[in-house]
Amino acid sequence: MRARPPVPRKALVKFKSVMDVELVQQLAADEMVCMAARVSTIGNTPQTYTREKNAGLINFLMRDRHGSPFEHGSFTFRISAPIFVCREFMRHRAGMSYNEESGRYRELEPVFYVPPGNRPLVQVGRAGKYDFQPGTFRQDLVAGEALRMAYTEAWTQYQTMLGEGIAREVARTVLPVGTYSTFYVTCNPRSLMHFLSLRTKSDGATYKSFPQVEIQMVADQMEEHFKTHMPMTHDTFVKHGRVAP
């Protein structure tokens, strides 16, 4: 007699409106940028430079877009976000390395994204030239209720399929893109600046970007870590219009 498949765990559906970004390791510093840049002129000769000298060099490198010295370093983030954010994030390939949890090999968690109350809901204008405006009270209510109902039903059907012994890689197809996933991304400072130039919205940017709210929620947290560990590089990045060198 064929054994019955294990009964999947019955977990309560959870709803979140935030993105989780954790810096799990980093090896990046303004001084390393300067060391990498100066090796072309001083070779292996050890020298000491003041903070002002280093700041001036970084400013020169950023202004004239000498980018390779900014590639010597790394940041590794663990990010938990809805699947649609993960997919948009992974369009960034140069200088980025990824590993993501797999719905083929583990039962996914019942955590789903519901936009926060201040998230603009109404698109105004044509494609390529549009903006978003706040929704009405009713639109906020409808969006939240529709998402919660859809998520709950999707999770119920996911559990039903697992309970019947259907493979996880098949059962997962019923889950929506609002399901949270977790991935690691490792990038160097140069690739991080390129990501930030496209996924944050700033009036001071030379080239205006209009990212989706949810990926900007991730990018804003990553930028805070960048600013903490490489303050001179971050300052010059902002000063020169948020253009990656």
Side-chain angles (χ1 to χ4, degrees), residues 144-209:
E145 185 64 19
L147 288 169
R148 289 180 175 87
M149 289 177 62
Y151 291 149
T152 301
E153 179 61 21
W155 180 256
T156 298
Q157 298 306 323
Y158 176 64
Q159 291 289 293
T160 297
M161 285 191 280
L162 292 178
E164 291 296 324
I166 295 172
R168 287 184 289 266
E169 66 183 54
V170 176
R172 66 175 174 171
T173 61
V174 77
L175 295 176
V177 295
T179 307
Y180 271 73
S181 183
T182 299
F183 67 96
Y184 285 90
V185 56
T186 297
C187 55
N188 63 54
R190 188 183 190 183
S191 58
L192 177 56
M193 284 186 281
H194 178 70
F195 172 81
L196 294 176
S197 72
L198 294 172
R199 300 304 182 179
T200 58
K201 188 174 183 179
S202 172
D203 292 336
T206 300
Y207 303 104
K208 298 294 188 290
S209 183

Side-chain angles (χ1 to χ4, degrees), residues 54-224:
N54 285 343
L57 176 57
I58 290 175
N59 183 71
F60 161 73
L61 296 171
M62 192 78 69
R63 184 195 67 205
D64 288 8
R65 305 195 71 185
H66 296 290
S68 59
F70 296 98
E71 296 176 6
H72 298 277
S74 69
F75 293 88
T76 299
F77 299 93
R78 180 168 54 228
I79 299 171
S80 182
I83 289 173
F84 70 86
V85 174
C86 302
R87 296 301 164 265
E88 188 172 14
F89 198 119
M90 292 178 187
R91 292 175 62 85
H92 297 268
R93 298 178 297 278
M96 298 280 197
S97 299
Y98 298 100
N99 283 98
E100 184 183 2
E101 68 174 308
S102 173
R104 294 186 67 192
Y105 305 123
R106 68 180 300 270
E107 181 182 335
L108 297 176
E109 297 293 329
V111 183
F112 302 95
Y113 175 72
V114 175
N118 61 350
R119 201 264 191 239
L121 294 178
V122 180
Q123 181 177 323
V124 179
R126 59 183 173 81
K129 192 177 181 181
Y130 59 82
D131 200 1
F132 283 88
Q133 297 179 0
T136 64
F137 175 78
R138 176 171 174 77
Q139 287 170 327
D140 287 338
L141 191 66
V142 168
E145 185 64 19
L147 288 169
R148 289 180 175 87
M149 289 177 62
Y151 291 149
T152 301
E153 179 61 21
W155 180 256
T156 298
Q157 298 306 323
Y158 176 64
Q159 291 289 293
T160 297
M161 285 191 280
L162 292 178
E164 291 296 324
I166 295 172
R168 287 184 289 266
E169 66 183 54
V170 176
R172 66 175 174 171
T173 61
V174 77
L175 295 176
V177 295
T179 307
Y180 271 73
S181 183
T182 299
F183 67 96
Y184 285 90
V185 56
T186 297
C187 55
N188 63 54
R190 188 183 190 183
S191 58
L192 177 56
M193 284 186 281
H194 178 70
F195 172 81
L196 294 176
S197 72
L198 294 172
R199 300 304 182 179
T200 58
K201 188 174 183 179
S202 172
D203 292 336
T206 300
Y207 303 104
K208 298 294 188 290
S209 183
F210 303 92
Q212 185 166 339
V213 169
E214 286 74 17
I215 198 167
Q216 183 171 352
M217 292 164 67
V218 173
D220 286 343
Q221 295 183 64
M222 295 172 69
E223 183 161 359
E224 285 302 311

Side-chain angles (χ1 to χ4, degrees), residues 19-75:
M19 311 294 150
D20 299 323
V21 178
E22 179 186 358
L23 179 64
V24 295
Q25 68 176 13
Q26 68 85 25
L27 183 62
D30 294 320
E31 290 74 20
M32 187 66 240
V33 175
C34 298
M35 290 168 61
R38 289 188 176 114
V39 72
S40 62
T41 57
I42 68 172
N44 195 35
T45 305
Q47 295 187 30
T48 301
Y49 295 87
T50 64
R51 178 179 175 83
E52 289 71 26
K53 287 280 188 181
N54 285 343
L57 176 57
I58 290 175
N59 183 71
F60 161 73
L61 296 171
M62 192 78 69
R63 184 195 67 205
D64 288 8
R65 305 195 71 185
H66 296 290
S68 59
F70 296 98
E71 296 176 6
H72 298 277
S74 69
F75 293 88

